[in-house]
Amino acid sequence: MRTPVIAANWKLNKTIAESVEFVQQLRGALNPWPNVDVVLCPPFTALASVASALQGTPIGLGAQDMFWEAQGAFTGEISGPMLVDAGCRSVIVGHSERRTVFGETDEMVHRKLLAALTHGLTPILCIGETLAEREADQTVAVLARQLSAALGGCESRDCPRLIVAYEPVWAIGTGRNATPEQAQQAHRFIREWLTKGRGAEAAESIRIQYGGSVNGANAAELLRQADVDGALVGGASLKAEAFSAIVKSAAAAKAVHSP
Ligand code: PEP
């Protein structure tokens, strides 16, 4: 059984004080702690403070992005060792907003993913098709291209650490989530792709999150799908109450399916 993993992507939101307050509220809301891995990805400015607030909890800290070089003349960038120093254990790479708003290419995502692994961080690799690509029946071709570009050079032994987030671009921040069937179909494809390239054992160990307008009302049904191992949550992760409801849904959905 893969332990479900629910990650909060706060994007360009929350001051340090707001971030720390969220942690206090979440600690209260998730007591007793469910059998779910939880990761918070605050903005860079709040990482160190959130790391302190998380001490003594099982909640993991992640970053929303990173640069592939460890140090040097790269104004404005943050490196893997800096994230580790701030207390991060994971990092989102290739989020669709990085790809579309900031022009990140498949090659850049690949370099970030390898750098994350090199520095001991768990990459949360985001992939997903646009609406136009879905309507043109290109979904699996896009997913295969993004996986192949990002994971070149990533060995089977790295796989247990890897998390893949299937995030259809048309579902992110739109209030229009993929149906559970659409999500399961895409996740199944991703796992089969991983099985062919990295072997069944590695593919079965990789957790595949769904992301795109997940909330307390739709999380349970999405998370009941066999290959949906968690969620990457944007908008609904900004309030502790809404986010903890999703975490509890994940625990309940996966408990039902335990042997
Ligand atoms: C995201 O940004 O990764 C995301 C899934 O956002 P939202 O939940 O708001 O759709």
PDB file of all heavy atoms in Angstrom, residues 7-11 92 95-97 126 165-177 210-215 231-238 246, ligand 1:
ATOM      1  N   ALA A   7      -0.355  17.467  -0.548  1.00  0.00           N
ATOM      2  CA  ALA A   7       0.559  18.615  -0.492  1.00  0.00           C
ATOM      3  C   ALA A   7      -0.206  19.912  -0.729  1.00  0.00           C
ATOM      4  O   ALA A   7      -1.133  19.964  -1.542  1.00  0.00           O
ATOM      5  CB  ALA A   7       1.669  18.454  -1.530  1.00  0.00           C
ATOM      6  N   ALA A   8       0.196  20.935   0.029  1.00  0.00           N
ATOM      7  CA  ALA A   8      -0.415  22.256  -0.099  1.00  0.00           C
ATOM      8  C   ALA A   8       0.529  23.158  -0.879  1.00  0.00           C
ATOM      9  O   ALA A   8       1.675  23.346  -0.479  1.00  0.00           O
ATOM     10  CB  ALA A   8      -0.651  22.851   1.284  1.00  0.00           C
ATOM     11  N   ASN A   9       0.052  23.695  -1.985  1.00  0.00           N
ATOM     12  CA  ASN A   9       0.840  24.650  -2.769  1.00  0.00           C
ATOM     13  C   ASN A   9       0.226  26.028  -2.559  1.00  0.00           C
ATOM     14  O   ASN A   9      -0.805  26.343  -3.138  1.00  0.00           O
ATOM     15  CB  ASN A   9       0.790  24.243  -4.257  1.00  0.00           C
ATOM     16  CG  ASN A   9       1.475  25.271  -5.139  1.00  0.00           C
ATOM     17  OD1 ASN A   9       2.221  26.124  -4.651  1.00  0.00           O
ATOM     18  ND2 ASN A   9       1.232  25.191  -6.443  1.00  0.00           N
ATOM     19  N   TRP A  10       0.883  26.816  -1.725  1.00  0.00           N
ATOM     20  CA  TRP A  10       0.318  28.121  -1.380  1.00  0.00           C
ATOM     21  C   TRP A  10       0.579  29.183  -2.435  1.00  0.00           C
ATOM     22  O   TRP A  10       0.088  30.306  -2.329  1.00  0.00           O
ATOM     23  CB  TRP A  10       0.857  28.592  -0.015  1.00  0.00           C
ATOM     24  CG  TRP A  10       0.324  27.791   1.130  1.00  0.00           C
ATOM     25  CD1 TRP A  10      -0.707  26.896   1.101  1.00  0.00           C
ATOM     26  CD2 TRP A  10       0.792  27.812   2.487  1.00  0.00           C
ATOM     27  NE1 TRP A  10      -0.905  26.360   2.352  1.00  0.00           N
ATOM     28  CE2 TRP A  10      -0.006  26.906   3.221  1.00  0.00           C
ATOM     29  CE3 TRP A  10       1.806  28.501   3.141  1.00  0.00           C
ATOM     30  CZ2 TRP A  10       0.180  26.682   4.589  1.00  0.00           C
ATOM     31  CZ3 TRP A  10       2.001  28.280   4.509  1.00  0.00           C
ATOM     32  CH2 TRP A  10       1.189  27.371   5.226  1.00  0.00           C
ATOM     33  N   LYS A  11       1.400  28.866  -3.408  1.00  0.00           N
ATOM     34  CA  LYS A  11       1.710  29.821  -4.494  1.00  0.00           C
ATOM     35  C   LYS A  11       2.162  31.164  -3.898  1.00  0.00           C
ATOM     36  O   LYS A  11       2.861  31.179  -2.882  1.00  0.00           O
ATOM     37  CB  LYS A  11       0.504  29.981  -5.418  1.00  0.00           C
ATOM     38  CG  LYS A  11      -0.094  28.639  -5.849  1.00  0.00           C
ATOM     39  CD  LYS A  11      -1.084  28.771  -6.953  1.00  0.00           C
ATOM     40  CE  LYS A  11      -1.741  27.435  -7.207  1.00  0.00           C
ATOM     41  NZ  LYS A  11      -2.487  27.381  -8.433  1.00  0.00           N
ATOM     42  N   ILE A  92       8.420  21.145  -5.430  1.00  0.00           N
ATOM     43  CA  ILE A  92       7.597  21.018  -6.640  1.00  0.00           C
ATOM     44  C   ILE A  92       8.466  21.409  -7.844  1.00  0.00           C
ATOM     45  O   ILE A  92       9.161  22.425  -7.798  1.00  0.00           O
ATOM     46  CB  ILE A  92       6.374  21.962  -6.553  1.00  0.00           C
ATOM     47  CG1 ILE A  92       5.473  21.582  -5.370  1.00  0.00           C
ATOM     48  CG2 ILE A  92       5.589  21.952  -7.865  1.00  0.00           C
ATOM     49  CD1 ILE A  92       4.359  22.599  -5.084  1.00  0.00           C
ATOM     50  N   HIS A  95       5.656  22.892 -12.197  1.00  0.00           N
ATOM     51  CA  HIS A  95       4.250  23.292 -12.062  1.00  0.00           C
ATOM     52  C   HIS A  95       3.816  24.011 -13.334  1.00  0.00           C
ATOM     53  O   HIS A  95       4.606  24.750 -13.940  1.00  0.00           O
ATOM     54  CB  HIS A  95       4.079  24.191 -10.841  1.00  0.00           C
ATOM     55  CG  HIS A  95       2.636  24.431 -10.509  1.00  0.00           C
ATOM     56  ND1 HIS A  95       1.871  25.363 -11.181  1.00  0.00           N
ATOM     57  CD2 HIS A  95       1.809  23.840  -9.612  1.00  0.00           C
ATOM     58  CE1 HIS A  95       0.634  25.338 -10.689  1.00  0.00           C
ATOM     59  NE2 HIS A  95       0.573  24.422  -9.739  1.00  0.00           N
ATOM     60  N   SER A  96       2.570  23.842 -13.715  1.00  0.00           N
ATOM     61  CA  SER A  96       2.126  24.420 -15.001  1.00  0.00           C
ATOM     62  C   SER A  96       2.250  25.941 -15.011  1.00  0.00           C
ATOM     63  O   SER A  96       2.452  26.538 -16.066  1.00  0.00           O
ATOM     64  CB  SER A  96       0.700  23.984 -15.329  1.00  0.00           C
ATOM     65  OG  SER A  96      -0.211  24.717 -14.562  1.00  0.00           O
ATOM     66  N   GLU A  97       2.151  26.568 -13.828  1.00  0.00           N
ATOM     67  CA  GLU A  97       2.333  28.037 -13.816  1.00  0.00           C
ATOM     68  C   GLU A  97       3.783  28.402 -14.099  1.00  0.00           C
ATOM     69  O   GLU A  97       4.065  29.433 -14.713  1.00  0.00           O
ATOM     70  CB  GLU A  97       1.845  28.611 -12.472  1.00  0.00           C
ATOM     71  CG  GLU A  97       0.323  28.599 -12.403  1.00  0.00           C
ATOM     72  CD  GLU A  97      -0.248  28.467 -10.995  1.00  0.00           C
ATOM     73  OE1 GLU A  97       0.477  28.703 -10.014  1.00  0.00           O
ATOM     74  OE2 GLU A  97      -1.439  28.116 -10.895  1.00  0.00           O
ATOM     75  N   CYS A 126       5.302  17.870 -11.667  1.00  0.00           N
ATOM     76  CA  CYS A 126       3.966  18.176 -12.196  1.00  0.00           C
ATOM     77  C   CYS A 126       3.935  17.994 -13.714  1.00  0.00           C
ATOM     78  O   CYS A 126       4.797  18.512 -14.420  1.00  0.00           O
ATOM     79  CB  CYS A 126       3.581  19.615 -11.889  1.00  0.00           C
ATOM     80  SG  CYS A 126       3.492  19.970 -10.131  1.00  0.00           S
ATOM     81  N   ALA A 165       2.780  14.463  -9.920  1.00  0.00           N
ATOM     82  CA  ALA A 165       1.467  15.097  -9.758  1.00  0.00           C
ATOM     83  C   ALA A 165       0.849  15.271 -11.138  1.00  0.00           C
ATOM     84  O   ALA A 165       1.397  16.012 -11.969  1.00  0.00           O
ATOM     85  CB  ALA A 165       1.601  16.445  -9.057  1.00  0.00           C
ATOM     86  N   TYR A 166      -0.255  14.552 -11.364  1.00  0.00           N
ATOM     87  CA  TYR A 166      -0.994  14.760 -12.622  1.00  0.00           C
ATOM     88  C   TYR A 166      -1.920  15.950 -12.411  1.00  0.00           C
ATOM     89  O   TYR A 166      -2.853  15.889 -11.603  1.00  0.00           O
ATOM     90  CB  TYR A 166      -1.793  13.513 -13.001  1.00  0.00           C
ATOM     91  CG  TYR A 166      -2.782  13.812 -14.115  1.00  0.00           C
ATOM     92  CD1 TYR A 166      -2.335  14.261 -15.358  1.00  0.00           C
ATOM     93  CD2 TYR A 166      -4.163  13.682 -13.929  1.00  0.00           C
ATOM     94  CE1 TYR A 166      -3.226  14.583 -16.374  1.00  0.00           C
ATOM     95  CE2 TYR A 166      -5.059  13.996 -14.936  1.00  0.00           C
ATOM     96  CZ  TYR A 166      -4.586  14.444 -16.149  1.00  0.00           C
ATOM     97  OH  TYR A 166      -5.465  14.777 -17.154  1.00  0.00           O
ATOM     98  N   GLU A 167      -1.628  17.025 -13.127  1.00  0.00           N
ATOM     99  CA  GLU A 167      -2.410  18.248 -12.972  1.00  0.00           C
ATOM    100  C   GLU A 167      -2.864  18.752 -14.339  1.00  0.00           C
ATOM    101  O   GLU A 167      -2.111  19.485 -15.016  1.00  0.00           O
ATOM    102  CB  GLU A 167      -1.568  19.335 -12.300  1.00  0.00           C
ATOM    103  CG  GLU A 167      -1.123  18.996 -10.906  1.00  0.00           C
ATOM    104  CD  GLU A 167      -0.964  20.253 -10.061  1.00  0.00           C
ATOM    105  OE1 GLU A 167      -0.197  21.141 -10.448  1.00  0.00           O
ATOM    106  OE2 GLU A 167      -1.647  20.350  -9.041  1.00  0.00           O
ATOM    107  N   PRO A 168      -4.062  18.344 -14.756  1.00  0.00           N
ATOM    108  CA  PRO A 168      -4.542  18.867 -16.034  1.00  0.00           C
ATOM    109  C   PRO A 168      -4.648  20.397 -15.940  1.00  0.00           C
ATOM    110  O   PRO A 168      -5.241  20.913 -14.988  1.00  0.00           O
ATOM    111  CB  PRO A 168      -5.920  18.215 -16.200  1.00  0.00           C
ATOM    112  CG  PRO A 168      -6.292  17.634 -14.875  1.00  0.00           C
ATOM    113  CD  PRO A 168      -5.029  17.463 -14.088  1.00  0.00           C
ATOM    114  N   VAL A 169      -4.033  21.092 -16.881  1.00  0.00           N
ATOM    115  CA  VAL A 169      -3.925  22.555 -16.779  1.00  0.00           C
ATOM    116  C   VAL A 169      -5.312  23.197 -16.711  1.00  0.00           C
ATOM    117  O   VAL A 169      -5.524  24.173 -15.987  1.00  0.00           O
ATOM    118  CB  VAL A 169      -3.107  23.103 -17.983  1.00  0.00           C
ATOM    119  CG1 VAL A 169      -3.003  24.619 -17.922  1.00  0.00           C
ATOM    120  CG2 VAL A 169      -1.706  22.480 -17.984  1.00  0.00           C
ATOM    121  N   TRP A 170      -6.270  22.605 -17.404  1.00  0.00           N
ATOM    122  CA  TRP A 170      -7.620  23.159 -17.456  1.00  0.00           C
ATOM    123  C   TRP A 170      -8.368  23.023 -16.124  1.00  0.00           C
ATOM    124  O   TRP A 170      -9.415  23.639 -15.921  1.00  0.00           O
ATOM    125  CB  TRP A 170      -8.433  22.493 -18.584  1.00  0.00           C
ATOM    126  CG  TRP A 170      -8.344  20.988 -18.589  1.00  0.00           C
ATOM    127  CD1 TRP A 170      -7.411  20.242 -19.241  1.00  0.00           C
ATOM    128  CD2 TRP A 170      -9.178  20.055 -17.894  1.00  0.00           C
ATOM    129  NE1 TRP A 170      -7.609  18.904 -19.001  1.00  0.00           N
ATOM    130  CE2 TRP A 170      -8.699  18.760 -18.185  1.00  0.00           C
ATOM    131  CE3 TRP A 170     -10.297  20.190 -17.063  1.00  0.00           C
ATOM    132  CZ2 TRP A 170      -9.282  17.610 -17.675  1.00  0.00           C
ATOM    133  CZ3 TRP A 170     -10.885  19.035 -16.549  1.00  0.00           C
ATOM    134  CH2 TRP A 170     -10.378  17.780 -16.861  1.00  0.00           C
ATOM    135  N   ALA A 171      -7.809  22.246 -15.222  1.00  0.00           N
ATOM    136  CA  ALA A 171      -8.482  22.050 -13.925  1.00  0.00           C
ATOM    137  C   ALA A 171      -7.848  22.883 -12.818  1.00  0.00           C
ATOM    138  O   ALA A 171      -8.391  22.963 -11.718  1.00  0.00           O
ATOM    139  CB  ALA A 171      -8.431  20.567 -13.542  1.00  0.00           C
ATOM    140  N   ILE A 172      -6.700  23.499 -13.092  1.00  0.00           N
ATOM    141  CA  ILE A 172      -5.982  24.215 -12.032  1.00  0.00           C
ATOM    142  C   ILE A 172      -6.594  25.590 -11.808  1.00  0.00           C
ATOM    143  O   ILE A 172      -6.625  26.430 -12.720  1.00  0.00           O
ATOM    144  CB  ILE A 172      -4.481  24.351 -12.375  1.00  0.00           C
ATOM    145  CG1 ILE A 172      -3.843  22.961 -12.454  1.00  0.00           C
ATOM    146  CG2 ILE A 172      -3.774  25.205 -11.327  1.00  0.00           C
ATOM    147  CD1 ILE A 172      -2.386  22.967 -12.824  1.00  0.00           C
ATOM    148  N   GLY A 173      -7.112  25.786 -10.612  1.00  0.00           N
ATOM    149  CA  GLY A 173      -7.650  27.089 -10.231  1.00  0.00           C
ATOM    150  C   GLY A 173      -8.924  27.476 -10.959  1.00  0.00           C
ATOM    151  O   GLY A 173      -9.342  28.634 -10.915  1.00  0.00           O
ATOM    152  N   THR A 174      -9.565  26.512 -11.621  1.00  0.00           N
ATOM    153  CA  THR A 174     -10.750  26.835 -12.425  1.00  0.00           C
ATOM    154  C   THR A 174     -12.050  26.425 -11.745  1.00  0.00           C
ATOM    155  O   THR A 174     -13.135  26.802 -12.198  1.00  0.00           O
ATOM    156  CB  THR A 174     -10.690  26.094 -13.776  1.00  0.00           C
ATOM    157  OG1 THR A 174     -10.615  24.679 -13.502  1.00  0.00           O
ATOM    158  CG2 THR A 174      -9.490  26.519 -14.600  1.00  0.00           C
ATOM    159  N   GLY A 175     -11.949  25.609 -10.709  1.00  0.00           N
ATOM    160  CA  GLY A 175     -13.166  25.072 -10.090  1.00  0.00           C
ATOM    161  C   GLY A 175     -13.733  23.906 -10.883  1.00  0.00           C
ATOM    162  O   GLY A 175     -14.768  23.341 -10.524  1.00  0.00           O
ATOM    163  N   ARG A 176     -13.046  23.517 -11.959  1.00  0.00           N
ATOM    164  CA  ARG A 176     -13.526  22.404 -12.782  1.00  0.00           C
ATOM    165  C   ARG A 176     -12.526  21.246 -12.659  1.00  0.00           C
ATOM    166  O   ARG A 176     -11.532  21.198 -13.376  1.00  0.00           O
ATOM    167  CB  ARG A 176     -13.609  22.887 -14.238  1.00  0.00           C
ATOM    168  CG  ARG A 176     -14.038  21.823 -15.188  1.00  0.00           C
ATOM    169  CD  ARG A 176     -13.926  22.314 -16.629  1.00  0.00           C
ATOM    170  NE  ARG A 176     -14.069  21.194 -17.528  1.00  0.00           N
ATOM    171  CZ  ARG A 176     -13.805  21.229 -18.820  1.00  0.00           C
ATOM    172  NH1 ARG A 176     -13.405  22.355 -19.384  1.00  0.00           N
ATOM    173  NH2 ARG A 176     -13.948  20.158 -19.571  1.00  0.00           N
ATOM    174  N   ASN A 177     -12.781  20.354 -11.710  1.00  0.00           N
ATOM    175  CA  ASN A 177     -11.845  19.242 -11.515  1.00  0.00           C
ATOM    176  C   ASN A 177     -12.054  18.154 -12.551  1.00  0.00           C
ATOM    177  O   ASN A 177     -13.151  18.054 -13.147  1.00  0.00           O
ATOM    178  CB  ASN A 177     -12.007  18.649 -10.106  1.00  0.00           C
ATOM    179  CG  ASN A 177     -13.394  18.104  -9.863  1.00  0.00           C
ATOM    180  OD1 ASN A 177     -14.331  18.873  -9.682  1.00  0.00           O
ATOM    181  ND2 ASN A 177     -13.530  16.795  -9.857  1.00  0.00           N
ATOM    182  N   TYR A 210      -3.165  13.660  -7.728  1.00  0.00           N
ATOM    183  CA  TYR A 210      -4.001  14.426  -8.661  1.00  0.00           C
ATOM    184  C   TYR A 210      -4.041  15.866  -8.170  1.00  0.00           C
ATOM    185  O   TYR A 210      -4.143  16.118  -6.953  1.00  0.00           O
ATOM    186  CB  TYR A 210      -5.437  13.861  -8.729  1.00  0.00           C
ATOM    187  CG  TYR A 210      -6.337  14.856  -9.420  1.00  0.00           C
ATOM    188  CD1 TYR A 210      -6.304  14.975 -10.799  1.00  0.00           C
ATOM    189  CD2 TYR A 210      -7.139  15.733  -8.684  1.00  0.00           C
ATOM    190  CE1 TYR A 210      -7.062  15.949 -11.444  1.00  0.00           C
ATOM    191  CE2 TYR A 210      -7.893  16.705  -9.320  1.00  0.00           C
ATOM    192  CZ  TYR A 210      -7.853  16.800 -10.700  1.00  0.00           C
ATOM    193  OH  TYR A 210      -8.578  17.767 -11.337  1.00  0.00           O
ATOM    194  N   GLY A 211      -3.979  16.812  -9.096  1.00  0.00           N
ATOM    195  CA  GLY A 211      -4.117  18.229  -8.733  1.00  0.00           C
ATOM    196  C   GLY A 211      -4.992  18.948  -9.733  1.00  0.00           C
ATOM    197  O   GLY A 211      -4.911  18.703 -10.948  1.00  0.00           O
ATOM    198  N   GLY A 212      -5.829  19.812  -9.240  1.00  0.00           N
ATOM    199  CA  GLY A 212      -6.720  20.600 -10.103  1.00  0.00           C
ATOM    200  C   GLY A 212      -8.077  20.733  -9.462  1.00  0.00           C
ATOM    201  O   GLY A 212      -8.910  19.831  -9.545  1.00  0.00           O
ATOM    202  N   SER A 213      -8.268  21.872  -8.710  1.00  0.00           N
ATOM    203  CA  SER A 213      -9.557  22.172  -8.092  1.00  0.00           C
ATOM    204  C   SER A 213     -10.033  21.088  -7.123  1.00  0.00           C
ATOM    205  O   SER A 213     -11.231  20.796  -7.043  1.00  0.00           O
ATOM    206  CB  SER A 213     -10.613  22.446  -9.175  1.00  0.00           C
ATOM    207  OG  SER A 213     -10.247  23.588  -9.922  1.00  0.00           O
ATOM    208  N   VAL A 214      -9.085  20.486  -6.401  1.00  0.00           N
ATOM    209  CA  VAL A 214      -9.488  19.539  -5.347  1.00  0.00           C
ATOM    210  C   VAL A 214     -10.023  20.349  -4.163  1.00  0.00           C
ATOM    211  O   VAL A 214      -9.468  21.383  -3.789  1.00  0.00           O
ATOM    212  CB  VAL A 214      -8.277  18.689  -4.876  1.00  0.00           C
ATOM    213  CG1 VAL A 214      -8.665  17.807  -3.685  1.00  0.00           C
ATOM    214  CG2 VAL A 214      -7.750  17.832  -6.021  1.00  0.00           C
ATOM    215  N   ASN A 215     -11.114  19.868  -3.582  1.00  0.00           N
ATOM    216  CA  ASN A 215     -11.655  20.513  -2.376  1.00  0.00           C
ATOM    217  C   ASN A 215     -12.276  19.437  -1.477  1.00  0.00           C
ATOM    218  O   ASN A 215     -12.264  18.243  -1.821  1.00  0.00           O
ATOM    219  CB  ASN A 215     -12.673  21.610  -2.747  1.00  0.00           C
ATOM    220  CG  ASN A 215     -13.812  21.067  -3.585  1.00  0.00           C
ATOM    221  OD1 ASN A 215     -14.287  19.952  -3.349  1.00  0.00           O
ATOM    222  ND2 ASN A 215     -14.255  21.831  -4.580  1.00  0.00           N
ATOM    223  N   ALA A 231      -3.068  14.178  -3.346  1.00  0.00           N
ATOM    224  CA  ALA A 231      -3.494  15.378  -4.072  1.00  0.00           C
ATOM    225  C   ALA A 231      -2.495  16.502  -3.858  1.00  0.00           C
ATOM    226  O   ALA A 231      -1.877  16.611  -2.796  1.00  0.00           O
ATOM    227  CB  ALA A 231      -4.877  15.810  -3.585  1.00  0.00           C
ATOM    228  N   LEU A 232      -2.350  17.314  -4.897  1.00  0.00           N
ATOM    229  CA  LEU A 232      -1.615  18.572  -4.799  1.00  0.00           C
ATOM    230  C   LEU A 232      -2.693  19.654  -4.853  1.00  0.00           C
ATOM    231  O   LEU A 232      -3.465  19.720  -5.811  1.00  0.00           O
ATOM    232  CB  LEU A 232      -0.620  18.700  -5.959  1.00  0.00           C
ATOM    233  CG  LEU A 232       0.225  19.977  -6.011  1.00  0.00           C
ATOM    234  CD1 LEU A 232       0.982  20.211  -4.719  1.00  0.00           C
ATOM    235  CD2 LEU A 232       1.230  19.888  -7.167  1.00  0.00           C
ATOM    236  N   VAL A 233      -2.750  20.437  -3.803  1.00  0.00           N
ATOM    237  CA  VAL A 233      -3.901  21.317  -3.604  1.00  0.00           C
ATOM    238  C   VAL A 233      -3.455  22.776  -3.597  1.00  0.00           C
ATOM    239  O   VAL A 233      -2.560  23.146  -2.829  1.00  0.00           O
ATOM    240  CB  VAL A 233      -4.612  20.988  -2.264  1.00  0.00           C
ATOM    241  CG1 VAL A 233      -5.910  21.772  -2.148  1.00  0.00           C
ATOM    242  CG2 VAL A 233      -4.858  19.488  -2.135  1.00  0.00           C
ATOM    243  N   GLY A 234      -4.073  23.595  -4.420  1.00  0.00           N
ATOM    244  CA  GLY A 234      -3.771  25.020  -4.440  1.00  0.00           C
ATOM    245  C   GLY A 234      -4.765  25.792  -3.595  1.00  0.00           C
ATOM    246  O   GLY A 234      -4.632  25.913  -2.371  1.00  0.00           O
ATOM    247  N   GLY A 235      -5.817  26.316  -4.217  1.00  0.00           N
ATOM    248  CA  GLY A 235      -6.780  27.201  -3.559  1.00  0.00           C
ATOM    249  C   GLY A 235      -7.304  26.665  -2.229  1.00  0.00           C
ATOM    250  O   GLY A 235      -7.347  27.395  -1.228  1.00  0.00           O
ATOM    251  N   ALA A 236      -7.684  25.397  -2.203  1.00  0.00           N
ATOM    252  CA  ALA A 236      -8.289  24.841  -0.979  1.00  0.00           C
ATOM    253  C   ALA A 236      -7.259  24.538   0.101  1.00  0.00           C
ATOM    254  O   ALA A 236      -7.617  24.058   1.171  1.00  0.00           O
ATOM    255  CB  ALA A 236      -9.090  23.582  -1.319  1.00  0.00           C
ATOM    256  N   SER A 237      -5.986  24.822  -0.183  1.00  0.00           N
ATOM    257  CA  SER A 237      -4.968  24.586   0.861  1.00  0.00           C
ATOM    258  C   SER A 237      -4.678  25.855   1.657  1.00  0.00           C
ATOM    259  O   SER A 237      -3.859  25.844   2.574  1.00  0.00           O
ATOM    260  CB  SER A 237      -3.654  24.085   0.229  1.00  0.00           C
ATOM    261  OG  SER A 237      -2.974  25.139  -0.419  1.00  0.00           O
ATOM    262  N   LEU A 238      -5.359  26.933   1.334  1.00  0.00           N
ATOM    263  CA  LEU A 238      -5.047  28.206   1.999  1.00  0.00           C
ATOM    264  C   LEU A 238      -5.733  28.351   3.353  1.00  0.00           C
ATOM    265  O   LEU A 238      -5.345  29.186   4.165  1.00  0.00           O
ATOM    266  CB  LEU A 238      -5.413  29.380   1.083  1.00  0.00           C
ATOM    267  CG  LEU A 238      -4.536  29.494  -0.173  1.00  0.00           C
ATOM    268  CD1 LEU A 238      -5.075  30.557  -1.120  1.00  0.00           C
ATOM    269  CD2 LEU A 238      -3.088  29.791   0.194  1.00  0.00           C
ATOM    270  N   ILE A 246      -9.527  17.723   3.421  1.00  0.00           N
ATOM    271  CA  ILE A 246      -8.992  16.915   2.303  1.00  0.00           C
ATOM    272  C   ILE A 246      -8.076  15.813   2.850  1.00  0.00           C
ATOM    273  O   ILE A 246      -8.124  14.661   2.402  1.00  0.00           O
ATOM    274  CB  ILE A 246      -8.245  17.826   1.299  1.00  0.00           C
ATOM    275  CG1 ILE A 246      -9.233  18.794   0.654  1.00  0.00           C
ATOM    276  CG2 ILE A 246      -7.525  16.997   0.242  1.00  0.00           C
ATOM    277  CD1 ILE A 246      -8.594  19.904  -0.175  1.00  0.00           C
TER     278      ILE A 246
HETATM  279  C1  PEP B   1      -2.082  23.739  -8.102  1.00  0.00           C
HETATM  280  O1  PEP B   1      -1.733  24.904  -8.164  1.00  0.00           O
HETATM  281  O2  PEP B   1      -1.232  22.845  -8.136  1.00  0.00           O
HETATM  282  C2  PEP B   1      -3.498  23.440  -7.987  1.00  0.00           C
HETATM  283  C3  PEP B   1      -3.873  22.202  -8.117  1.00  0.00           C
HETATM  284  O3  PEP B   1      -4.332  24.510  -7.741  1.00  0.00           O
HETATM  285  P1  PEP B   1      -5.911  24.416  -7.424  1.00  0.00           P
HETATM  286  O4  PEP B   1      -6.080  23.379  -6.358  1.00  0.00           O
HETATM  287  O5  PEP B   1      -6.264  25.800  -6.950  1.00  0.00           O
HETATM  288  O6  PEP B   1      -6.598  24.037  -8.692  1.00  0.00           O
END
